[in-house]
Amino acid sequence: MKRARKYIYIALIVIVLVPGLFVCFLSALQSSQTGQMLAAVVSQDEQGNGSGGSVSGGSGDIVAVARAEYANAASNVGGFKYKDWYGMNADWCAMFVAWCADQCGYIDSRIIPRTASVYQMYSFFKDNGRFHYKEESYAPQPGDIIIYNVSQHTGLVVDYDPSTEMITTIEGNTGSSGTSPFHLGSQVNERHYQKSNPRITGFGNPDYPEWGNAGSGPLQEGQEILIPEGLGAVHTYMGWQCITSPTSLQYRLRQEAGMNFDGEGFGRIGDRYVVACTTTFGGIGDYIDIYKRDGTVIKGIIGDIKNQNDAGCNQWGHLNGTCIIEFVVDEGTWYNCGHPNPGTASCHPEWSQPITKIVNRGNYWG
């Protein structure tokens, strides 16, 4: 009883003598609104741990494209988008891999072949000495091309857990192919396999460039994306210091441009706010103009990519697209006592309007 009374006295002394700490603690509790919690979750993506984390180097580009297609799979049932691109109405798993590669410039650079044939995909990597059979000690890498039964099926590896030897893939032409019209029951999907699965032949390991395609993403300069009505009114934030992988494009951008903050603690590169968004709007280093419904234009530069595998994240952003833009900020000044979200009454209320469109304005690396 005496010991319990002692701890109560100590607690009262702390509250009385260190009121600022107590107030900060209460403020942190009160700020646990959906948007604030989301910012904390998304900021962990840069650690690169587990499924859905950042992938370094050039493989990160194609993984990001594949994840974006999986997030939007319901609108591409039947694979017509990829078949129309290739010019063939046939099984489309290899077309899907080639389409993703094309978005990153990896077909033009001859890193991945433009083919609708699984066997040709397998042969390309085998002939170039970049194919690893599953019996080898090789650990599959995100961005690898997985081959099933030499010529039966293919997809993209997006994650691998060496402790369980579990492979996560995103594949096209999954589901029923025998429906009428042809392939109407098939779509892009996520799959999980043990490395020992008897269907797996092995893995093509593309010779990706160290830094990917400089973050150009699937958009071209001047291209604009119109946003569905009512989306993008919510903004969250993440600390720029949360980006820790030296091999990631996010890290390279910060190193080359400098980690600069304005007087409010917003990350800035030149006159642009550093932001995070999905690959729908571009890649790392892309300049984007963000148009609000009332005519306000926020000049941004993409410094991070939102994880579209997060619950409630779609092609537009988190909270089912309600949150399209996340501001990159100074962790030291924003994370202490629950800084209000941008676009709220005490932090740039002029940004509270929904976003109507985002226009790509080129890339930091030219």
Side-chain angles (χ1 to χ4, degrees):
M1 187 68 178
K2 289 182 179 179
R3 180 175 297 177
R5 193 176 294 122
K6 173 184 176 183
Y7 290 142
I8 292 172
Y9 291 153
I10 292 174
L12 289 172
I13 291 170
V14 169
I15 291 173
V16 171
L17 296 181
V18 196
L21 179 63
F22 185 63
V23 170
C24 187
F25 173 71
L26 288 179
S27 176
L29 288 177
Q30 293 168 352
S31 67
S32 59
Q33 55 184 284
T34 301
Q36 298 281 25
M37 289 191 294
L38 178 60
V41 170
V42 177
S43 69
Q44 295 171 5
D45 291 348
E46 308 326 310
Q47 306 307 316
N49 299 322
S51 179
S54 293
V55 180
S56 64
S59 62
D61 291 331
I62 196 167
V63 167
V65 170
R67 288 193 187 281
E69 294 307 295
Y70 170 53
N72 197 34
S75 66
N76 293 318
V77 173
F80 300 106
K81 171 181 179 178
Y82 317 106
K83 293 188 288 185
D84 289 346
W85 167 80
Y86 191 82
M88 181 186 294
N89 186 21
D91 289 337
W92 55 279
C93 59
M95 295 184 212
F96 170 73
V97 171
W99 183 92
C100 291
D102 187 57
Q103 306 310 297
C104 303
Y106 295 151
I107 289 179
D108 289 343
S109 56
R110 300 184 180 181
I111 292 171
I112 296 174
R114 187 183 190 276
T115 180
S117 166
V118 177
Y119 184 77
Q120 287 183 10
M121 190 75 74
Y122 159 73
S123 297
F124 175 87
F125 293 107
K126 184 174 179 291
D127 293 346
N128 285 280
R130 302 196 67 86
F131 191 81
H132 301 274
Y133 292 93
K134 72 176 181 185
E135 292 80 11
E136 299 177 25
S137 59
Y138 175 77
Q141 304 295 310
D144 279 0
I145 314 301
I146 189 169
I147 301 292
Y148 303 92
N149 295 333
V150 180
S151 62
Q152 187 181 73
H153 188 58
T154 187
L156 282 160
V157 175
V158 297
D159 194 35
Y160 177 64
D161 185 345
S163 65
T164 61
E165 294 197 325
M166 183 64 71
I167 302 165
T168 301
T169 66
I170 292 179
E171 305 168 5
N173 198 23
T174 67
S176 175
S177 296
T179 55
S180 181
F182 192 44
H183 288 130
L184 194 59
S186 63
Q187 66 180 62
V188 176
N189 220 323
E190 184 180 85
R191 292 286 186 255
H192 304 274
Y193 307 91
Q194 291 293 141
K195 187 186 175 189
S196 59
N197 189 297
R199 289 184 59 209
I200 298 174
T201 301
F203 313 91
N205 176 240
D207 187 18
Y208 292 116
E210 181 182 1
W211 294 111
N213 67 344
S216 60
L219 266 66
Q220 300 298 319
E221 183 175 353
Q223 187 173 347
E224 64 179 45
I225 300 294
L226 301 180
I227 310 300
E229 178 65 27
L231 299 184
V234 174
H235 301 295
T236 52
Y237 58 84
M238 62 166 281
W240 211 348
Q241 294 90 336
C242 294
I243 296 172
T244 58
S245 173
T247 58
S248 70
L249 202 58
Q250 293 95 320
Y251 193 95
R252 179 192 176 191
L253 177 67
R254 191 182 67 189
Q255 288 296 100
E256 293 188 12
M259 188 167 60
N260 302 307
F261 302 104
D262 63 17
E264 297 177 285
F266 285 99
R268 293 279 199 143
I269 294 178
D271 65 343
R272 292 183 174 269
Y273 291 95
V274 184
V275 299
C277 60
T278 68
T279 54
T280 299
F281 308 105
I284 300 299
D286 273 10
Y287 300 122
I288 56 174
D289 287 349
I290 305 151
Y291 287 77
K292 290 289 190 173
R293 179 191 286 168
D294 63 358
T296 299
V297 179
I298 303 172
K299 290 186 175 183
I301 178 171
I302 302 176
D304 190 37
I305 298 297
K306 285 181 176 246
N307 185 354
Q308 288 179 230
N309 269 6
D310 286 343
C313 189
N314 59 24
Q315 69 182 105
W316 306 111
H318 281 92
L319 299 177
N320 297 313
T322 305
C323 175
I324 292 176
I325 294 298
E326 182 169 273
F327 286 88
V328 177
V329 301
D330 180 10
E331 181 180 359
T333 59
W334 279 60
Y335 277 32
N336 288 342
C337 292
H339 195 289
N341 281 344
T344 54
S346 55
C347 182
H348 288 274
E350 71 276 13
W351 293 344
S352 63
Q353 295 287 319
I355 296 172
T356 57
K357 68 178 179 179
I358 291 180
V359 181
N360 191 289
R361 299 299 186 189
N363 187 270
Y364 175 83
W365 288 287

